[in-house]
Amino acid sequence: MTPADPHTAQANTPDQDGGQGETPDTSVSAAAELPGLDQRALAALAEVGREWERQIPPLSTWQRALPVDTDLEWGQPTRSRGARFVQIGKPRRRGESEQLEATHRAAEGDSRTSHALHALRRALIGPALRSSALAEDRIGRALALPLLSPDALSSVAYGPEAMLAILLLAGSGELKASLPISAVLAVLMLSVGLGYRQVIRAYPQGGGSYVIASEGLGHRWGLLAGAGLILDYILTVAVSVASGVEAVTSAIPSLSSARILIGLIVILLLVAGNLRGLRDAGVAFAAPTYLFVAAIALVVVTGLVKAASHGFHPAAPVPHRAVEAAGVLLLLRAFASGATAMTGIEVISNAVPIFRPPAAKHARQTLSVMVGLLIAMFVGVVLVAHFDGAEPGGSQTLLSRISHSSVGSGIGYGFVQVATTLILLVAANSAFNGFPRLLYFMARDGNMPRAFLRLGDRLAFSNGILVLALPAAIIFVAFGGHTGPLIPLFAIGVFIAFTLAQSGMVAHWLRHRERGWRSALVTNLLGAVLSGAVVVIAAITKFLQGAWLVVVLLPLIVIFCERIHGHYVRVREALTPKPDGDGRGRPTDVTAPDRRDGQRGQDSAHGAAEAADTPAEVQSFAVVPVAVLDLAALHALAYAVSLARPVLVVHVSPTEREAERFQRQWEAWGEHLPLELLVSPYRATVAPLANYIAALHHQRPESTLSLVVPEVVVARRWQKILHNRIGARLRNALIAYDGITITTVPFHVPP
Amino acid sequence: MTPADPHTAQANTPDQDGGQGETPDTSVSAAAELPGLDQRALAALAEVGREWERQIPPLSTWQRALPVDTDLEWGQPTRSRGARFVQIGKPRRRGESEQLEATHRAAEGDSRTSHALHALRRALIGPALRSSALAEDRIGRALALPLLSPDALSSVAYGPEAMLAILLLAGSGELKASLPISAVLAVLMLSVGLGYRQVIRAYPQGGGSYVIASEGLGHRWGLLAGAGLILDYILTVAVSVASGVEAVTSAIPSLSSARILIGLIVILLLVAGNLRGLRDAGVAFAAPTYLFVAAIALVVVTGLVKAASHGFHPAAPVPHRAVEAAGVLLLLRAFASGATAMTGIEVISNAVPIFRPPAAKHARQTLSVMVGLLIAMFVGVVLVAHFDGAEPGGSQTLLSRISHSSVGSGIGYGFVQVATTLILLVAANSAFNGFPRLLYFMARDGNMPRAFLRLGDRLAFSNGILVLALPAAIIFVAFGGHTGPLIPLFAIGVFIAFTLAQSGMVAHWLRHRERGWRSALVTNLLGAVLSGAVVVIAAITKFLQGAWLVVVLLPLIVIFCERIHGHYVRVREALTPKPDGDGRGRPTDVTAPDRRDGQRGQDSAHGAAEAADTPAEVQSFAVVPVAVLDLAALHALAYAVSLARPVLVVHVSPTEREAERFQRQWEAWGEHLPLELLVSPYRATVAPLANYIAALHHQRPESTLSLVVPEVVVARRWQKILHNRIGARLRNALIAYDGITITTVPFHVPP
């Protein structure tokens, strides 16, 4: 993050208080949600504080006045299920309050519904984890590999087939082109893999394409990389689940009619597994991944042994008539299709912090193993297919075909099929790891809603997990659970992210020139060029099949992120205390006498723009809307009068006759307060009331108008339809005005 | 309404202030929404008022303190479109405020969206009408007839056919049974019609089955009558629109595919027409009704003239084989089917107040004309069909068949078809008049949500109109625009209402014995018996075809209404000021000295149950939740301190590290107020905060806890997703506690 960049310099990194310098903190923190204040703001706070000191009594007076024990040593309601708050730490000095800790009970309500919901939640995703468990919730390489690699590895089940299917369009004679294309793909995988090893080296706390591109190339390129990954993660889930369900239904055709339901259940299980947290998810997804690796190894090794026994002479494929001419474009399309196998490679570099220390080293090793497996499996499958003369098409998948010829039709074949089905079903899991982390990083820079900073009960990014699952499920259902129309949209986003990440690394090495930067730079440059080539090829060859949608959506996402960013920057600017010296000419070192007598110094009031950041600047009067002079209204009137400020009561009547009726109630009570009667002959209530109150406020914009609204609160939710909810509507209408506070005085009625 | 009835005695009649005795006010009032207070409550108010007088300064002090001009003579924001408030009336005494009237501009907001929406609204339903126009918005008989009769009259287009279709099941020989059945139906119509004439006589301000049954037979029977009508009105709209659309599509078959769309457009037009108000609706619906009457007259007269020329010898019908045995059950089913023609008869008695005075006389005359037309048209069509030997079935409707034979195939036939289509399309309009009025009466007795008391912009019962249209449209769409499956559900509800209304009238005459009560009683008794017979016949013969649904739904509606009623009674009880002498032993004539010195008399505090209906009883302390010590927080703190009561600041942190960060901000500011730090290691924010505040409140249940919440208010709606809305969630969690007031201190951020 370069300090010169006006965008990222405003980001809400959680440690601006500490001012830890320029290195971005790419670790995950439970405290990231609350923005900090910089030194300048703290200085401004101190200045405001001195003003307060002159205006209000000292702290000890306030402490004595409090009628409650803030440490809850007495009067904490007795709970059958344990205390909600326990004291931690000692008072920092005499008379000071102790710090309280909320137990997990503090998140529950008192109602039976609340207890039941919490019990259900615990049953589904386990008990809540403490923030301090974040350091413990790390996993070893053996669990991380199956957690992060299913997306990449599972593409071996369909990547080679997609490539061969394109080549077959030019006739079976062209199938042999699969060997050189695979070699290029292997080089590409190796290059991107090595590139991401460098990423982990440079960002040992976890980075990913978004962070690297933001830093190396600038804010907007980072957003583009992020947008590409966002699209691709969503598509990955939809496509992976659809192909997993396809594998299930082709094995058990009677389930075809339930394909949508099965897919939704798989998505739900993925959500639940990931909401449970890293360790549980890793354990759950370990078996399918290792089984699949073993299955492919079996097929490839036996296939190659058989091929060796024939002296590596390829079997002649069944002759096919060409429907398209062979040519560069076709080869490029085949290449682009094969490249879809590479989605998911970047997940590990995003997720370095989930590894046990030394995290970076473990992550690099895991990445190397994953890329090695991917290349070996991909090339192996293509080779075996080549020697078998197998070709795509028909009722069987390519993998099923070569499994048959390699391991026969017995238990070995069944094992391969089961393993393939399982990995396709869990392939979406990489996306469930990558997407929420990506949104966390984007949100921390203020490019995404802050809600994505939130760590859920189980220290998982619950919001990100849910926001990934929802659009993926909608797309899955909208396309009837079929993968076909989605494939062309796929992989462009991820290759844009690859390209930008590798380019960002090139910029990084040029800037930092650490030990060995030259070779690293070459690696990343090669990765950038190759990935960029894939983007161009894929965009051109798939444009009309749907890639245009990606081309349209990406800039929209970038613009949306920039609007979010702009909003957060303006909000932060508006909320940050600013030194008063800023062009207003008030000295910062006021030498006024130390008046602690509680006298409200009117002399120190300053401009209306900064009105009311000290109590003396609050001048206010109360307005109470009353429909009927019942107990709810009296309750609100009593509260308003107790505020020790002027009070005006307003009543809106639909007719003059009704106004007289109210007048009789008012006179019976004794007319103790100023009353304004509004007749609303058009029968609107809320809008005239809101406009009248706004007009009063307009007379005294510097005064705070305290609107005190009596509100009947019902015990059951359905009973809300029985009441006119004027309070809530008035709130909505008047919240737009600066300087109007809205107080609800509830009056509870029996059910 | 018998005063002995505990249910209706609690009803929110708008004039309990005045205590106008036992006669229920069945007129429509714009002021009905606001419940009144009875003499006892007013006395209690006076008692509370005397307590206030001892506690607070006199009115003049309050008036002088107010920093604003409540009459808006200065400082009313200049509006380009005219003032929002104008003064009406004189101040009632010196120093008193004038009454203001809200112009129609007062209902509009300042935003462009608001102006555009209001302009659209005016274009669709016309400018708003003043409540005082209620007296003027009355119509003559010539407009009232087409407004209220289409439902009844249009049934001539399908009633006879439904009857003959049942008879045909027993072979064409049984068709002649249509004559005696029609005679019985004519007697039934006459009897019910005469019965409702008596209803209008007894309830000159408009009554209807619900009011009559409630009063004559008791609360629960009234609800049953109301429930029957509610179901039937909804079904009427769905069935009428469906048969209207059927008439359109059978004339122009190419429109068949758009039937759902056409039906929804018709419903929308009916809604818009009725929202525009009585007069506009009457004018719009006059032509179809009169055209249809003329068309039927043409068909019947020419048909009968032709029959006369053949000496009234019926033509032999085409022989048909019987598929069911002739028998009593079949005849009864035919009778029940024909009786559906009577739906809509009760609408006029409901709607007496819409007639120009003398309203009751005009309503009676209109009712007589309508019933006369209905009988003549119904019997006429049956007779012509009989003499023609026409029979139902095939591609043509019965009406189309006899039109052909009566007036040939030329322009006369076209006229009949067009008129029939038009009346079927507007037949639902009676329901749009009856349903909202019924709900108004039910709501005024506290049996339906009070929202149905509201008169819309155009003095129409907008809520009732919309609540009728929505389920009707859903049913229409759900059944694909077909009437078939709905017919068996139809008419049972309305005949239950007829029976209960006529029985209620019998009870009425037995009780009141006004002039001519004997003959009136006989009329109503006959009506009750005949209608009751139809209910029994229809329920038995149609039970399995769907009438069971009505049998299940009616009690559910009655129970729902009773629950609403119970809630309103309890709310009223809870809200009404009660004399303090009620068993609490405090004398009502306090002889304490007249202290107007503003001293807060702690001596007069009474029990916590009635806590805080005088200001001295309000003891409170403020709690301010603060996440970050930014300007929004300072703003809220300044406001809280200005309330002149103890203040406690609470901060929730997800980690201890974050708590320390906040502590640094707090210390920079100067620690002027008591602070409690809550660490929430499970990262929940709102629930621990709410539980902590509830625990504080639990320590001091007699004190009011003023929760002061800083709230960042965004300028654009979509930006809400960018903020965590802790204020709103805290509100929802804490509104359940008595004695916690919630104040929002808004802080506006730029867009």
Side-chain angles (χ1 to χ4, degrees), chain B residues 526-571:
Chain B
L526 184 65
V529 171
L530 288 176
S531 310
V534 176
V535 172
V536 173
I537 292 168
I540 291 172
T541 58
K542 299 172 171 181
F543 191 81
L544 291 178
Q545 284 92 33
W548 63 269
L549 190 61
V550 176
V551 175
V552 170
L553 277 178
L554 287 182
L556 290 182
I557 297 176
V558 170
I559 289 169
F560 183 61
C561 292
E562 290 191 326
R563 290 196 63 180
I564 292 176
H565 187 91
H567 174 76
Y568 277 136
V569 168
R570 285 189 296 276
V571 167

Short mmCIF file of all heavy atoms in Angstrom, two decimals, chain B residues 526-571:
data_model
loop_
_atom_site.label_atom_id
_atom_site.label_comp_id
_atom_site.label_asym_id
_atom_site.label_seq_id
_atom_site.Cartn_x
_atom_site.Cartn_y
_atom_site.Cartn_z
N LEU B 526 -89.75 -15.31 6.99
CA LEU B 526 -89.81 -16.07 5.74
C LEU B 526 -88.45 -16.03 5.05
O LEU B 526 -87.92 -17.06 4.60
CB LEU B 526 -90.89 -15.47 4.83
CG LEU B 526 -91.10 -16.24 3.52
CD1 LEU B 526 -91.66 -17.64 3.81
CD2 LEU B 526 -92.04 -15.48 2.60
N GLY B 527 -87.88 -14.83 5.00
CA GLY B 527 -86.56 -14.70 4.37
C GLY B 527 -85.53 -15.56 5.06
O GLY B 527 -84.72 -16.25 4.41
N ALA B 528 -85.56 -15.57 6.40
CA ALA B 528 -84.58 -16.35 7.16
C ALA B 528 -84.73 -17.83 6.86
O ALA B 528 -83.74 -18.54 6.61
CB ALA B 528 -84.75 -16.07 8.65
N VAL B 529 -85.98 -18.28 6.86
CA VAL B 529 -86.20 -19.72 6.64
C VAL B 529 -85.76 -20.12 5.24
O VAL B 529 -85.04 -21.11 5.04
CB VAL B 529 -87.70 -20.06 6.86
CG1 VAL B 529 -87.99 -21.48 6.41
CG2 VAL B 529 -88.05 -19.88 8.33
N LEU B 530 -86.17 -19.33 4.24
CA LEU B 530 -85.79 -19.67 2.86
C LEU B 530 -84.28 -19.61 2.66
O LEU B 530 -83.67 -20.51 2.07
CB LEU B 530 -86.49 -18.74 1.88
CG LEU B 530 -87.99 -18.97 1.72
CD1 LEU B 530 -88.61 -17.91 0.80
CD2 LEU B 530 -88.27 -20.36 1.16
N SER B 531 -83.63 -18.55 3.17
CA SER B 531 -82.19 -18.44 3.01
C SER B 531 -81.48 -19.57 3.73
O SER B 531 -80.51 -20.16 3.23
CB SER B 531 -81.67 -17.12 3.57
OG SER B 531 -82.40 -16.04 3.09
N GLY B 532 -81.97 -19.86 4.95
CA GLY B 532 -81.37 -20.96 5.71
C GLY B 532 -81.48 -22.26 4.94
O GLY B 532 -80.53 -23.06 4.91
N ALA B 533 -82.61 -22.46 4.27
CA ALA B 533 -82.78 -23.67 3.48
C ALA B 533 -81.73 -23.71 2.37
O ALA B 533 -81.14 -24.77 2.09
CB ALA B 533 -84.19 -23.72 2.89
N VAL B 534 -81.47 -22.58 1.74
CA VAL B 534 -80.46 -22.55 0.67
C VAL B 534 -79.09 -22.92 1.23
O VAL B 534 -78.34 -23.69 0.62
CB VAL B 534 -80.42 -21.16 0.00
CG1 VAL B 534 -79.29 -21.13 -1.04
CG2 VAL B 534 -81.75 -20.85 -0.66
N VAL B 535 -78.77 -22.38 2.42
CA VAL B 535 -77.47 -22.71 3.02
C VAL B 535 -77.33 -24.21 3.19
O VAL B 535 -76.33 -24.82 2.77
CB VAL B 535 -77.29 -22.00 4.39
CG1 VAL B 535 -76.03 -22.50 5.08
CG2 VAL B 535 -77.25 -20.51 4.21
N VAL B 536 -78.37 -24.81 3.79
CA VAL B 536 -78.30 -26.25 4.06
C VAL B 536 -78.18 -27.02 2.75
O VAL B 536 -77.33 -27.91 2.59
CB VAL B 536 -79.54 -26.69 4.87
CG1 VAL B 536 -79.55 -28.20 5.01
CG2 VAL B 536 -79.52 -26.01 6.23
N ILE B 537 -79.03 -26.66 1.78
CA ILE B 537 -79.00 -27.36 0.50
C ILE B 537 -77.64 -27.21 -0.17
O ILE B 537 -77.04 -28.19 -0.63
CB ILE B 537 -80.11 -26.80 -0.42
CG1 ILE B 537 -81.48 -27.18 0.14
CG2 ILE B 537 -79.94 -27.33 -1.84
CD1 ILE B 537 -82.63 -26.44 -0.52
N ALA B 538 -77.13 -25.97 -0.21
CA ALA B 538 -75.87 -25.73 -0.90
C ALA B 538 -74.73 -26.45 -0.20
O ALA B 538 -73.88 -27.08 -0.85
CB ALA B 538 -75.59 -24.23 -0.97
N ALA B 539 -74.72 -26.39 1.14
CA ALA B 539 -73.62 -27.02 1.87
C ALA B 539 -73.62 -28.52 1.63
O ALA B 539 -72.57 -29.13 1.44
CB ALA B 539 -73.74 -26.71 3.36
N ILE B 540 -74.84 -29.13 1.61
CA ILE B 540 -74.89 -30.58 1.43
C ILE B 540 -74.56 -30.96 -0.01
O ILE B 540 -73.71 -31.82 -0.27
CB ILE B 540 -76.30 -31.11 1.81
CG1 ILE B 540 -76.48 -30.96 3.32
CG2 ILE B 540 -76.47 -32.56 1.38
CD1 ILE B 540 -77.87 -31.27 3.79
N THR B 541 -75.19 -30.28 -0.97
CA THR B 541 -75.02 -30.71 -2.36
C THR B 541 -73.64 -30.37 -2.90
O THR B 541 -73.17 -31.01 -3.82
CB THR B 541 -76.09 -30.10 -3.27
OG1 THR B 541 -76.00 -28.67 -3.16
CG2 THR B 541 -77.48 -30.55 -2.88
N LYS B 542 -73.00 -29.35 -2.35
CA LYS B 542 -71.69 -28.96 -2.91
C LYS B 542 -70.53 -29.31 -1.99
O LYS B 542 -69.40 -28.90 -2.26
CB LYS B 542 -71.66 -27.44 -3.14
CG LYS B 542 -72.68 -26.92 -4.12
CD LYS B 542 -72.63 -25.40 -4.07
CE LYS B 542 -73.45 -24.72 -5.14
NZ LYS B 542 -73.30 -23.25 -5.00
N PHE B 543 -70.85 -30.05 -0.90
CA PHE B 543 -69.82 -30.22 0.12
C PHE B 543 -68.51 -30.75 -0.44
O PHE B 543 -67.44 -30.17 -0.26
CB PHE B 543 -70.32 -31.13 1.24
CG PHE B 543 -69.42 -31.14 2.45
CD1 PHE B 543 -69.49 -30.12 3.38
CD2 PHE B 543 -68.47 -32.15 2.64
CE1 PHE B 543 -68.66 -30.11 4.49
CE2 PHE B 543 -67.63 -32.13 3.74
CZ PHE B 543 -67.74 -31.12 4.67
N LEU B 544 -68.62 -31.86 -1.19
CA LEU B 544 -67.39 -32.49 -1.66
C LEU B 544 -66.73 -31.72 -2.79
O LEU B 544 -65.54 -31.87 -3.04
CB LEU B 544 -67.68 -33.93 -2.10
CG LEU B 544 -68.05 -34.86 -0.94
CD1 LEU B 544 -68.37 -36.24 -1.46
CD2 LEU B 544 -66.90 -34.92 0.06
N GLN B 545 -67.51 -30.89 -3.49
CA GLN B 545 -66.92 -30.12 -4.59
C GLN B 545 -66.13 -28.90 -4.09
O GLN B 545 -65.58 -28.17 -4.88
CB GLN B 545 -67.99 -29.63 -5.57
CG GLN B 545 -68.51 -30.70 -6.52
CD GLN B 545 -69.74 -31.37 -5.94
OE1 GLN B 545 -70.52 -30.73 -5.25
NE2 GLN B 545 -69.91 -32.66 -6.20
N GLY B 546 -66.11 -28.65 -2.82
CA GLY B 546 -65.31 -27.53 -2.34
C GLY B 546 -65.97 -26.74 -1.23
O GLY B 546 -65.32 -25.94 -0.57
N ALA B 547 -67.29 -26.98 -0.99
CA ALA B 547 -67.96 -26.21 0.05
C ALA B 547 -67.35 -26.49 1.41
O ALA B 547 -67.42 -25.66 2.32
CB ALA B 547 -69.45 -26.52 0.06
N TRP B 548 -66.69 -27.67 1.56
CA TRP B 548 -66.04 -27.98 2.85
C TRP B 548 -65.02 -26.92 3.21
O TRP B 548 -64.81 -26.62 4.39
CB TRP B 548 -65.39 -29.36 2.78
CG TRP B 548 -64.29 -29.45 1.76
CD1 TRP B 548 -64.42 -29.82 0.46
CD2 TRP B 548 -62.92 -29.11 1.95
NE1 TRP B 548 -63.21 -29.74 -0.18
CE2 TRP B 548 -62.27 -29.31 0.71
CE3 TRP B 548 -62.17 -28.66 3.03
CZ2 TRP B 548 -60.91 -29.06 0.54
CZ3 TRP B 548 -60.82 -28.42 2.86
CH2 TRP B 548 -60.20 -28.62 1.62
N LEU B 549 -64.40 -26.35 2.18
CA LEU B 549 -63.38 -25.33 2.44
C LEU B 549 -64.01 -24.12 3.15
O LEU B 549 -63.45 -23.56 4.10
CB LEU B 549 -62.74 -24.90 1.12
CG LEU B 549 -61.50 -24.02 1.24
CD1 LEU B 549 -60.39 -24.73 2.00
CD2 LEU B 549 -60.99 -23.62 -0.13
N VAL B 550 -65.20 -23.74 2.67
CA VAL B 550 -65.91 -22.63 3.31
C VAL B 550 -66.25 -23.00 4.75
O VAL B 550 -66.07 -22.18 5.66
CB VAL B 550 -67.19 -22.31 2.51
CG1 VAL B 550 -67.99 -21.22 3.21
CG2 VAL B 550 -66.84 -21.90 1.09
N VAL B 551 -66.68 -24.24 4.93
CA VAL B 551 -67.06 -24.69 6.27
C VAL B 551 -65.86 -24.65 7.21
O VAL B 551 -65.98 -24.40 8.40
CB VAL B 551 -67.67 -26.11 6.19
CG1 VAL B 551 -67.95 -26.66 7.57
CG2 VAL B 551 -68.94 -26.08 5.35
N VAL B 552 -64.67 -24.90 6.66
CA VAL B 552 -63.47 -24.83 7.49
C VAL B 552 -63.03 -23.38 7.72
O VAL B 552 -62.65 -22.99 8.83
CB VAL B 552 -62.32 -25.63 6.83
CG1 VAL B 552 -61.00 -25.37 7.53
CG2 VAL B 552 -62.64 -27.10 6.84
N LEU B 553 -63.12 -22.57 6.65
CA LEU B 553 -62.57 -21.22 6.74
C LEU B 553 -63.40 -20.30 7.64
O LEU B 553 -62.85 -19.46 8.36
CB LEU B 553 -62.46 -20.59 5.34
CG LEU B 553 -61.23 -20.97 4.54
CD1 LEU B 553 -61.29 -20.33 3.16
CD2 LEU B 553 -59.97 -20.50 5.27
N LEU B 554 -64.73 -20.44 7.57
CA LEU B 554 -65.56 -19.49 8.31
C LEU B 554 -65.23 -19.45 9.80
O LEU B 554 -65.00 -18.36 10.35
CB LEU B 554 -67.04 -19.81 8.09
CG LEU B 554 -67.59 -19.46 6.71
CD1 LEU B 554 -69.07 -19.78 6.61
CD2 LEU B 554 -67.36 -17.99 6.42
N PRO B 555 -65.17 -20.61 10.47
CA PRO B 555 -64.83 -20.52 11.91
C PRO B 555 -63.45 -19.93 12.14
O PRO B 555 -63.24 -19.22 13.13
CB PRO B 555 -64.88 -21.97 12.38
CG PRO B 555 -65.51 -22.74 11.30
CD PRO B 555 -65.43 -21.97 10.04
N LEU B 556 -62.51 -20.21 11.23
CA LEU B 556 -61.17 -19.64 11.41
C LEU B 556 -61.21 -18.13 11.36
O LEU B 556 -60.57 -17.44 12.16
CB LEU B 556 -60.21 -20.18 10.34
CG LEU B 556 -59.83 -21.65 10.47
CD1 LEU B 556 -58.84 -22.04 9.39
CD2 LEU B 556 -59.23 -21.92 11.85
N ILE B 557 -61.99 -17.59 10.41
CA ILE B 557 -62.10 -16.13 10.33
C ILE B 557 -62.74 -15.58 11.60
O ILE B 557 -62.29 -14.57 12.15
CB ILE B 557 -62.91 -15.72 9.08
CG1 ILE B 557 -62.17 -16.16 7.80
CG2 ILE B 557 -63.15 -14.21 9.05
CD1 ILE B 557 -62.94 -15.88 6.54
N VAL B 558 -63.77 -16.28 12.07
CA VAL B 558 -64.45 -15.82 13.29
C VAL B 558 -63.46 -15.81 14.46
O VAL B 558 -63.37 -14.83 15.22
CB VAL B 558 -65.67 -16.69 13.60
CG1 VAL B 558 -66.22 -16.38 14.98
CG2 VAL B 558 -66.74 -16.50 12.53
N ILE B 559 -62.67 -16.87 14.58
CA ILE B 559 -61.70 -16.94 15.68
C ILE B 559 -60.67 -15.82 15.56
O ILE B 559 -60.30 -15.16 16.54
CB ILE B 559 -61.01 -18.33 15.69
CG1 ILE B 559 -62.01 -19.39 16.14
CG2 ILE B 559 -59.80 -18.32 16.61
CD1 ILE B 559 -61.53 -20.80 15.94
N PHE B 560 -60.21 -15.59 14.32
CA PHE B 560 -59.24 -14.53 14.10
C PHE B 560 -59.82 -13.18 14.54
O PHE B 560 -59.17 -12.40 15.24
CB PHE B 560 -58.85 -14.50 12.62
CG PHE B 560 -57.81 -13.49 12.27
CD1 PHE B 560 -56.55 -13.53 12.85
CD2 PHE B 560 -58.08 -12.48 11.36
CE1 PHE B 560 -55.58 -12.59 12.53
CE2 PHE B 560 -57.12 -11.53 11.03
CZ PHE B 560 -55.87 -11.59 11.62
N CYS B 561 -61.07 -12.92 14.13
CA CYS B 561 -61.71 -11.65 14.52
C CYS B 561 -61.82 -11.56 16.04
O CYS B 561 -61.62 -10.48 16.62
CB CYS B 561 -63.10 -11.55 13.91
SG CYS B 561 -63.08 -11.37 12.12
N GLU B 562 -62.11 -12.67 16.68
CA GLU B 562 -62.25 -12.62 18.14
C GLU B 562 -60.92 -12.35 18.80
O GLU B 562 -60.86 -11.66 19.82
CB GLU B 562 -62.88 -13.92 18.65
CG GLU B 562 -64.34 -14.02 18.25
CD GLU B 562 -65.06 -15.15 18.97
OE1 GLU B 562 -64.41 -16.17 19.22
OE2 GLU B 562 -66.26 -14.98 19.26
N ARG B 563 -59.86 -12.91 18.23
CA ARG B 563 -58.54 -12.63 18.80
C ARG B 563 -58.20 -11.15 18.64
O ARG B 563 -57.64 -10.53 19.53
CB ARG B 563 -57.47 -13.49 18.14
CG ARG B 563 -57.61 -14.95 18.52
CD ARG B 563 -56.37 -15.74 18.20
NE ARG B 563 -55.22 -15.27 18.96
CZ ARG B 563 -54.01 -15.79 18.87
NH1 ARG B 563 -53.80 -16.80 18.06
NH2 ARG B 563 -53.01 -15.31 19.57
N ILE B 564 -58.52 -10.60 17.47
CA ILE B 564 -58.28 -9.17 17.25
C ILE B 564 -59.08 -8.37 18.27
O ILE B 564 -58.55 -7.45 18.91
CB ILE B 564 -58.69 -8.78 15.82
CG1 ILE B 564 -57.73 -9.41 14.82
CG2 ILE B 564 -58.71 -7.27 15.66
CD1 ILE B 564 -58.12 -9.16 13.38
N HIS B 565 -60.34 -8.76 18.43
CA HIS B 565 -61.20 -8.04 19.35
C HIS B 565 -60.62 -8.09 20.77
O HIS B 565 -60.53 -7.06 21.45
CB HIS B 565 -62.60 -8.64 19.32
CG HIS B 565 -63.60 -7.86 20.11
ND1 HIS B 565 -64.35 -6.87 19.54
CD2 HIS B 565 -63.94 -7.89 21.41
CE1 HIS B 565 -65.12 -6.33 20.47
NE2 HIS B 565 -64.89 -6.95 21.61
N GLY B 566 -60.22 -9.28 21.17
CA GLY B 566 -59.66 -9.43 22.51
C GLY B 566 -58.44 -8.54 22.70
O GLY B 566 -58.28 -7.88 23.73
N HIS B 567 -57.60 -8.51 21.66
CA HIS B 567 -56.41 -7.66 21.75
C HIS B 567 -56.79 -6.20 21.93
O HIS B 567 -56.27 -5.52 22.82
CB HIS B 567 -55.55 -7.84 20.51
CG HIS B 567 -54.38 -6.91 20.45
ND1 HIS B 567 -53.24 -7.09 21.21
CD2 HIS B 567 -54.18 -5.77 19.76
CE1 HIS B 567 -52.40 -6.12 20.98
NE2 HIS B 567 -52.93 -5.29 20.10
N TYR B 568 -57.71 -5.74 21.11
CA TYR B 568 -58.10 -4.33 21.20
C TYR B 568 -58.71 -4.00 22.55
O TYR B 568 -58.48 -2.93 23.11
CB TYR B 568 -59.07 -3.95 20.08
CG TYR B 568 -58.40 -3.63 18.77
CD1 TYR B 568 -58.90 -4.12 17.57
CD2 TYR B 568 -57.28 -2.82 18.70
CE1 TYR B 568 -58.30 -3.83 16.35
CE2 TYR B 568 -56.67 -2.52 17.50
CZ TYR B 568 -57.19 -3.03 16.33
OH TYR B 568 -56.58 -2.73 15.15
N VAL B 569 -59.50 -4.95 23.08
CA VAL B 569 -60.11 -4.70 24.39
C VAL B 569 -59.02 -4.56 25.45
O VAL B 569 -59.03 -3.64 26.27
CB VAL B 569 -61.09 -5.84 24.75
CG1 VAL B 569 -61.50 -5.74 26.22
CG2 VAL B 569 -62.31 -5.78 23.84
N ARG B 570 -58.05 -5.48 25.41
CA ARG B 570 -56.98 -5.42 26.41
C ARG B 570 -56.14 -4.16 26.23
O ARG B 570 -55.73 -3.54 27.22
CB ARG B 570 -56.10 -6.67 26.31
CG ARG B 570 -56.77 -7.91 26.89
CD ARG B 570 -55.81 -9.09 26.97
NE ARG B 570 -55.37 -9.53 25.65
CZ ARG B 570 -56.05 -10.35 24.87
NH1 ARG B 570 -57.21 -10.84 25.28
NH2 ARG B 570 -55.59 -10.71 23.70
N VAL B 571 -55.88 -3.78 24.97
CA VAL B 571 -55.09 -2.56 24.74
C VAL B 571 -55.84 -1.35 25.27
O VAL B 571 -55.27 -0.48 25.94
CB VAL B 571 -54.81 -2.39 23.24
CG1 VAL B 571 -54.27 -1.01 22.95
CG2 VAL B 571 -53.80 -3.44 22.78
#
